[in-house]
């Protein structure tokens, strides 16, 4: 039945479904995972870096984490080429707002603008949906630290902790069990590492398979986007690997 209604994004099936949008979501579920956790001290984003071949020169910069503005960052799961278009769009929107109003764009307004663009690609003929989901982490003076998730349909929502990409159901199950309201930034870092160590296909989590960033505030009140180096990740990975070995014994 689906084959008659899945040739275009503009055609509803008799059950009221848009198959092309569902297929885009399915593509993301096979992509590398990304996890986000919100704490009162900041937001942590972690993503699985898939290395296809040992001959591949790994990127010196992050390939799944993007800084949108000084106070907003995003993690990506899905087709990275599609993500680049939307990331550039979001950066332009943030700078236009700052130029016009001389203040940083509110986080939700930036997310909503990006999701409006994604939604447009599900409604007009001749276009295909963007095959990418985002986790947005940021801070503004209205709501403090925030974490949002968006999908190819243009839907978005605020979360305390969430996961996208491969094995996201298993990841969200662990987050539901281990997340607590008063979680600290250090605990959030350990939690995202634990989630990825349990849901990734590899037997042991190593720094070259992982990207880790945080959005926090300094003592002077400035919002800081920090990308963790392999050296920064070593104690967290050692803790996660020791915990996983202890649970299997």
């Amino acid at each position: 039945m689906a084959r008659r209604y899945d040739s275009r994004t503009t055609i509803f099936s008799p059950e009221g479904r848009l198959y092309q949008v569902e297929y885009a979501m399915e593509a993301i579920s096979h992509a590398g995972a990304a996890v986000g956790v919100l704490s009162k001290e900041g937001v942590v984003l972690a993503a699985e870096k898939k290395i296809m071949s040992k001959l591949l020169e790994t990127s010196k910069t992050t390939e799944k984490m993007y800084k949108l503005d000084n106070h907003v960052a995003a993690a990506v799961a899905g087709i990275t080429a599609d993500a680049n278009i939307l990331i550039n769009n979001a950066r332009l929107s943030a700078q236009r707002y700052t130029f016009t109003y001389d203040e940083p764009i509110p986080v939700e307004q930036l997310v909503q603008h990006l999701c409006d663009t994604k939604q447009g690609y599900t409604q007009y003929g001749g276009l295909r949906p963007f095959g990418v989901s985002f986790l947005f982490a940021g801070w503004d003076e209205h709501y403090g630290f925030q974490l949002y998730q968006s999908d190819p349909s243009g839907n978005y929502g605020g979360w305390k902790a969430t996961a996208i990409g491969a094995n996201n159901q298993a990841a969200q199950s662990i987050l539901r069990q281990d997340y607590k309201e008063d979680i600290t930034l250090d605990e959030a870092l350990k939690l995202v590492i634990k989630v990825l160590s349990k849901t990734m296909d590899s037997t042991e989590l190593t720094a070259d398979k992982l990207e880790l960033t945080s959005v926090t505030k300094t003592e002077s009140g400035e919002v800081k986007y920090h990308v963790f180096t392999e050296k920064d990740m070593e104690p967290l990975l050692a803790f996660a690997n020791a915990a996983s070995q202890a649970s299997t014994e």
Side-chain angles (χ1 to χ4, degrees):
M1 176 66 86
R3 293 279 167 246
R4 291 171 56 194
Y5 300 100
D6 66 357
S7 59
R8 299 185 187 184
T9 57
T10 51
I11 300 175
F12 280 99
S13 75
E15 300 90 39
R17 295 164 66 178
L18 291 170
Y19 283 105
Q20 285 294 327
V21 178
E22 291 183 23
Y23 295 160
M25 292 181 186
E26 186 62 28
I28 291 159
S29 69
H30 299 297
V35 183
V37 174
L38 175 68
S39 76
K40 290 179 180 174
E41 300 166 11
V43 190
V44 176
L45 296 174
E48 175 187 359
K49 191 192 290 184
K50 289 201 170 180
I51 300 169
M52 299 302 182
S53 167
K54 64 181 182 180
L55 300 175
L56 183 68
E57 178 68 56
T58 53
S59 175
K60 297 294 183 287
T61 57
T62 57
E63 62 183 53
K64 299 198 73 174
M65 301 288 181
Y66 296 85
K67 183 179 179 181
L68 305 183
D69 202 353
N70 290 332
H71 64 301
V72 192
V76 168
I79 302 171
T80 313
D82 283 10
N84 288 335
I85 300 294
L86 291 167
I87 292 295
N88 285 338
N89 191 321
R91 285 172 175 164
L92 275 171
S93 298
Q95 294 308 309
R96 284 187 186 123
Y97 187 97
T98 303
F99 181 76
T100 306
Y101 300 106
D102 199 25
E103 65 179 33
I105 188 170
V107 179
E108 187 174 1
Q109 188 169 333
L110 181 60
V111 174
Q112 188 172 15
H113 173 81
L114 203 66
C115 289
D116 287 347
T117 303
K118 290 168 90 172
Q119 190 276 333
Y121 276 70
T122 70
Q123 198 166 6
Y124 302 108
L127 305 174
R128 73 160 173 81
F130 287 98
V132 65
S133 280
F134 290 100
L135 295 180
F136 299 95
W139 182 92
D140 63 40
E141 60 186 10
H142 306 287
Y143 296 109
F145 289 109
Q146 297 154 71
L147 173 66
Y148 294 95
Q149 174 190 333
S150 81
D151 63 37
S153 68
N155 275 332
Y156 75 92
W159 292 77
K160 295 174 182 174
T162 188
I164 54 177
N167 300 321
N168 65 82
Q169 295 294 332
Q172 288 187 8
S173 176
I174 297 167
L175 289 169
R176 274 195 295 272
Q177 290 173 0
D178 292 10
Y179 181 84
K180 55 184 191 287
E181 293 291 331
D182 58 346
I183 193 168
T184 65
L185 190 68
D186 287 339
E187 289 170 337
L189 286 165
K190 288 174 181 172
L191 179 55
V192 294
I193 298 286
K194 177 185 176 182
V195 169
L196 285 178
S197 68
K198 287 186 178 293
T199 56
M200 278 170 59
D201 296 331
S202 55
T203 51
E204 189 175 352
L205 199 57
T206 55
D208 62 334
K209 297 175 185 171
L210 184 68
E211 289 182 17
L212 186 63
T213 63
S214 65
V215 177
T216 55
K217 284 191 83 178
T218 62
E219 290 180 2
S220 61
E222 290 182 10
V223 182
K224 180 185 177 187
Y225 170 68
H226 176 62
V227 179
F228 286 72
T229 63
E230 291 192 7
K231 192 174 180 181
D232 294 335
M233 285 190 256
E234 279 172 9
L236 292 164
L237 293 171
F239 177 83
N241 289 327
S244 95
Q245 283 175 3
S247 66
T248 54
E249 288 175 0

